[in-house]
Each structure stands twice: as C-alpha cells, then as structure tokens.
Amino acid sequence: TDDRPYAGLGNFGPSPIADTNGFFHTAVHEIFHALGFSGNYFNDHSMTGTYTIRGTANRITLNTPNLVAKFKEFIGCPTLNPAAVELEDNGGSGTAGSHFEARILRQDTMAGTESSDYTFLSAITLAVFDDMPGDIYEVNYT
C-alpha cells in the first residue's frame, strides 16, 4: 500500500452557518484531517517525538524537517531546541495529538480551537503535508 489517506467524511448542516468565513476555515481544517493531519497518521509514520520543553517532560511533538524549518523561520529562531513543534495535549482524543498546540499557534488553521479574531493557513501547516512519507503531497508554499 502507499499509505495515502483514501477516504474522509464531512457532514455540515447548512442551517446554522451564519459566519461563512469561519465555516470556510472549519471546512478546510476538517478536510486537512481527512488528508492525514491526525495523531494516528503522525504516529503510524514516525513523525512524532517526545521532549522536555520548558521543564515539562513528555511533550508530544512533530519533528519533521520541513516543518521544523518553517517553524524556525516563523518564530525567528534558527537554533530552536528541541527541533520540534508541540502538539496539543488538551481537549480529549479528538483534539490532543492531532492539532498544533494552541498556546503556540493559536491562529493557525490546524490549531485545536478556532481563533476569536482570525485564522490563517500557514507554511507550518503546509510543511506537515510536505513531510508526509512517500511524497504523497507536492506543496506549493507561494
């Protein structure tokens, strides 16, 4: 098998959708989960690691090369140590491990909570897809 995600299901009830911009970002977020942005996929493909960060042991992180490079660029820290991006550890099984840590990337499309002001699709999120094994996605960062 090629390990590509091959199916996803989304069910959006149109009647309560008042904020179309928020809905759009929610839809993109959920589609990204179907495309493989999930804790199960990360773990099955050795994309995660465990580090002590800010004195807290066993922080679950993504530690793939393009992701780390884009994160270093985003925060302006070329010596990031450990070279990893934290994953959310709150919110239960549907959130923990399958989203960026909201404390760090709160407004990113793949944070576990929707930002109150705006959400953006970052090169950091795109880098996760770029780093998925088997070159299953070709990412255009422009």
Side-chain angles (χ1 to χ4, degrees), residues 59-107:
R59 297 292 304 176
I60 305 300
T61 64
L62 282 174
N63 55 5
T64 58
N66 291 311
L67 169 68
V68 170
K70 293 296 183 185
F71 187 65
K72 286 179 177 182
E73 184 181 311
F74 179 75
I75 65 172
C77 180
T79 59
L80 180 69
N81 185 16
V85 178
E86 290 179 71
L87 291 174
E88 185 62 60
D89 60 350
N90 289 313
S93 63
T95 301
S98 291
H99 298 89
F100 291 130
E101 172 62 56
R103 177 178 37 78
I104 297 168
L105 292 166
R106 174 181 69 87
Q107 294 173 311

Side-chain angles (χ1 to χ4, degrees), residues 33-132:
H33 282 309
L35 292 174
F37 199 110
S38 71
N40 288 336
Y41 190 90
F42 300 152
N43 293 331
D44 290 348
H45 294 87
S46 302
M47 297 174 70
T48 58
T50 305
Y51 296 96
T52 297
I53 300 175
R54 291 174 318 282
T56 303
N58 300 318
R59 297 292 304 176
I60 305 300
T61 64
L62 282 174
N63 55 5
T64 58
N66 291 311
L67 169 68
V68 170
K70 293 296 183 185
F71 187 65
K72 286 179 177 182
E73 184 181 311
F74 179 75
I75 65 172
C77 180
T79 59
L80 180 69
N81 185 16
V85 178
E86 290 179 71
L87 291 174
E88 185 62 60
D89 60 350
N90 289 313
S93 63
T95 301
S98 291
H99 298 89
F100 291 130
E101 172 62 56
R103 177 178 37 78
I104 297 168
L105 292 166
R106 174 181 69 87
Q107 294 173 311
D108 191 276
T109 298
M110 293 313 296
T113 58
E114 188 170 330
S115 175
S116 62
D117 42 6
Y118 70 94
T119 302
F120 65 95
L121 173 58
S122 72
I124 298 165
T125 291
L126 294 176
V128 173
F129 290 101
D130 202 6
D131 285 332
M132 288 184 177

